[in-house]
Amino acid sequence: MTREALIRELRALARQRRLAFEVYTNRGKGSHYRVRLGDRMTTIQSGELTTLMVRTIRKQLGID
């Protein structure tokens, strides 16, 4: 899964759950993005994400 695909999925989930969703492209180091879903925040790296990384990001955001 790419970063953009994960962001699309998170945005749809936030809309469905009526949570605030923001992507900060200038707060991460290098090509990393900071993402806020509701009151939780995490960093997403660029490029292809492994299933373990996606699961970890979703857990950090309180989805799984």
Side-chain angles (χ1 to χ4, degrees):
M1 175 180 276
T2 63
R3 173 177 61 189
E4 288 74 24
L6 178 61
I7 289 174
R8 274 194 307 273
E9 182 181 303
L10 293 173
R11 185 172 282 125
L13 183 73
R15 206 174 291 131
Q16 191 177 36
R17 294 186 182 184
R18 301 182 198 276
L19 294 172
F21 180 77
E22 292 183 69
V23 178
Y24 302 102
T25 58
N26 58 348
R27 285 199 182 173
K29 282 195 157 199
S31 61
H32 290 63
Y33 285 0
R34 297 281 289 166
V35 174
R36 186 174 70 83
L37 179 68
D39 61 345
R40 293 180 175 223
M41 185 174 261
T42 191
T43 304
I44 302 178
Q45 67 185 21
S46 65
E48 192 67 28
L49 302 173
T50 64
T51 55
L52 178 62
M53 181 64 73
V54 172
R55 193 173 10 185
T56 303
I57 290 168
R58 291 173 64 88
K59 189 173 183 180
Q60 289 172 346
L61 292 173
I63 297 168
D64 290 337

